[in-house]
Amino acid sequence: MTEATAIASFRRVSPAILASARMAMANDIPDTSKSEISLLLKKAAPILGIDGTTYHVLDILLGLSRADDWKGAGRPIVAISNAKLAEYTLRSERTVTRCLRRIVEAGIAAYRDSPTGRRFVYRDNDGTVASGFGLDFTPARVRLAEIRESVENYQRELKASQDARRAVTRLSRAIIDACEAFPEKAISWRSAAEAIIGAVAGRAEQASGLESLHAEVLEYAEYRFQEHNMSCAGDIGVTANINTTPKNLSDSNERTRSNERDIISTDNGSAVEMAYENKPEATAGDMQSRLRQAEKTVGDIQGAVLATVPVGLLQVGCRAAQECVSVEFDGWSDVVGAAEMMRRMIGLSEAAWVDGVGRVGRYAASAILATVLEKSLRDPELIAKPGGYFRAMVDRAVDGSLHLSKSLYGLAESEINTRAR
């Protein structure tokens, strides 16, 4: 028998709401588990346009659903009033109403309204739903395979975008290095690189164009190298006396520290110029001095934040965050690589993320981001605005009052105690 659903007459019905209602009437629905569907919907939140308070409301609703209702002929219906949700999220009832509408229009839940507008669930002795009114998550069960495929495609595209962005930065730096090594070709190479960056909008296309230009650069460098070897034929070999000990340890680390600025976006079409400005050996001047001084400041802040935060502590303390982004924090490259996904999961704007990276460094910002995501996943009621929480932690890091290791040790201890029970 087809399951019936009802939408109250006071609701302003849209095609998306009707589509969710039709999916809620399906009978042939796949089995899943509460933990699987909760994790999947959280990963799909950026795709579905769910963030901020809506994400918080969704997390509460999923937590209130019963595990058995996600299997067999069960109907995962959640009955909770808007007033109670407003109390939990510290928002107004009008805001909660809008959040519920976004969840329904996203196609993962449907309205199941009673004639009186009240929400309640009556169950039989065996626990099955005899009669229920509230938010029905049957559409999420119906779309299980579709949502899973969308999440996989989204993560694949996100990884490809990140790889292309890194390639653009890496190739831009290599071309600038070649411009300084071969001044006679500097103008043409830099102009060609700027043309590629300015004419092509997509990261992948920019990386492909720079790859071709870089191949030409390498070919010319090899030609010059062979020409040099031929001109030196017959010369008496003399062993060079080279002092391999750097005069100053900070000078030897100058190139490594410059990598902190790799995260800066090149959307303004000047990736090549930025790579040139970030290069430590660039022409000295007042602006360059200020940039280097700012870099040292960021490096000092990042060093202070991560001094007692090994990556193993992040791995143990942020288990939920790793499951949510499907990345194991085996190394710092994994933490940084998952930053874009974590940023979207907590609803943090790209501008706020770039600002945080510019203030505390890429690795420290990624560690803070993972900690904020972990806390928001464990207890959504504790952090009403994860994006604001991230910015506040960055401010504390700049002030020197952030003790990130204490937070992570607390999360790790809580995780260990939970598993021991």
Side-chain angles (χ1 to χ4, degrees):
M1 178 178 178
T2 301
E3 187 75 16
T5 186
I7 301 177
S9 58
F10 61 81
R11 297 195 186 280
R12 183 166 49 87
V13 179
S14 67
I17 292 177
L18 292 176
S20 296
R22 284 193 295 269
M23 285 188 286
M25 293 189 292
N27 286 326
D28 187 15
I29 45 182
D31 288 349
T32 184
S33 64
K34 178 179 176 179
S35 59
E36 178 190 12
I37 196 68
S38 297
L39 182 59
L40 188 63
L41 290 178
K42 289 174 182 179
K43 289 181 179 180
I47 307 172
L48 300 172
I50 295 175
D51 57 9
T53 305
T54 305
Y55 182 91
H56 192 180
V57 170
L58 174 63
D59 191 62
I60 293 174
L61 295 176
L62 292 174
L64 292 174
S65 66
R66 288 202 180 186
D68 294 338
D69 291 345
W70 294 95
K71 299 178 180 179
R75 298 281 168 174
I77 301 174
V78 180
I80 182 173
S81 66
N82 290 358
K84 185 60 69 174
L85 282 173
E87 180 182 340
Y88 287 160
T89 58
L90 301 179
R91 297 291 185 272
S92 66
E93 291 189 36
R94 289 178 62 86
T95 299
V96 168
T97 300
R98 289 193 295 269
C99 292
L100 293 177
R101 184 180 181 89
R102 287 181 65 185
I103 292 173
V104 172
E105 290 183 334
I108 57 177
Y111 291 118
R112 186 181 289 272
D113 297 323
S114 66
T116 61
R118 292 180 57 248
R119 297 172 184 164
F120 57 88
V121 175
Y122 292 142
R123 297 182 180 272
D124 295 332
N125 294 332
D126 58 358
T128 59
V129 176
S131 177
F133 298 95
L135 274 297
D136 186 355
F137 279 92
T138 300
R141 290 185 60 183
V142 174
R143 298 181 60 197
L144 180 64
E146 177 192 346
I147 295 174
R148 184 183 291 118
E149 182 179 1
S150 298
V151 169
E152 292 174 355
N153 292 336
Y154 174 74
Q155 292 181 337
R156 189 159 45 246
E157 293 173 359
L158 187 61
K159 184 179 184 303
S161 176
Q162 291 173 339
D163 292 343
R165 179 179 299 178
R166 295 190 187 102
V168 168
T169 303
R170 173 177 55 81
L171 294 171
S172 298
R173 287 181 176 275
I175 293 170
I176 291 300
D177 288 341
C179 287
E180 293 198 350
F182 306 103
E184 70 277 10
K185 302 287 289 185
I187 295 177
S188 61
W189 285 345
R190 189 175 290 120
S191 298
E194 290 175 351
I196 292 172
I197 296 295
V200 181
R203 292 287 186 186
E205 290 79 5
Q206 290 178 357
S208 178
L210 291 175
E211 187 74 42
S212 300
L213 178 59
H214 186 243
E216 297 179 10
V217 171
L218 292 179
E219 183 178 354
Y220 181 82
E222 183 179 358
Y223 165 74
R224 287 293 304 274
F225 178 75
Q226 293 176 353
E227 186 181 58
H228 174 73
N229 286 346
M230 292 179 64
S231 65
C232 294
D235 290 352
I236 300 174
V238 178
T239 303
N241 183 14
I242 302 175
N243 181 11
T244 58
T245 304
K247 295 180 180 179
N248 191 321
L249 182 60
S250 63
D251 294 338
S252 66
N253 291 333
E254 198 68 20
R255 186 67 171 178
T256 302
R257 289 183 176 181
S258 68
N259 292 336
E260 281 302 322
R261 291 191 294 270
D262 289 354
I263 194 67
I264 298 177
S265 173
T266 58
D267 288 340
N268 59 0
S270 301
V272 178
E273 285 301 322
M274 282 198 294
Y276 178 77
E277 293 172 2
N278 292 340
K279 185 171 174 58
E281 295 82 9
T283 305
D286 293 340
M287 180 59 69
Q288 187 69 13
S289 299
R290 286 197 294 269
L291 286 174
R292 289 188 177 182
Q293 184 61 41
E295 176 188 354
K296 291 179 182 179
T297 302
V298 171
D300 292 342
I301 295 172
Q302 180 166 247
V305 172
L306 301 182
T308 55
V309 182
V311 71
L313 180 58
L314 271 174
Q315 189 179 51
V316 176
C318 300
R319 289 292 182 189
Q322 294 172 81
E323 293 178 2
C324 193
V325 298
S326 299
V327 175
E328 191 75 17
F329 292 164
D330 295 325
W332 282 107
S333 59
D334 300 319
V335 182
V336 174
E340 180 66 15
M341 175 67 77
M342 293 190 292
R343 174 186 75 78
R344 301 192 183 197
M345 292 299 300
I346 69 169
L348 181 69
S349 67
E350 185 173 2
W353 165 245
V354 172
D355 177 71
V357 170
R359 298 177 67 192
V360 301
R362 176 173 53 176
Y363 296 97
S366 299
I368 293 172
L369 189 61
T371 305
V372 174
L373 177 59
E374 181 72 19
K375 289 185 176 182
S376 65
L377 289 173
R378 292 196 189 187
D379 189 358
E381 299 181 21
L382 181 64
I383 304 178
K385 296 182 178 180
Y389 196 85
F390 170 83
R391 289 189 288 269
M393 291 184 71
V394 169
D395 290 339
R396 291 174 59 192
V398 174
D399 295 339
S401 59
L402 178 66
H403 303 287
L404 188 62
S405 60
K406 291 184 178 180
S407 298
L408 288 170
Y409 275 118
L411 292 172
E413 183 178 2
S414 176
E415 175 71 15
I416 293 173
N417 293 338
T418 302
R419 291 178 179 272
R421 292 173 185 169

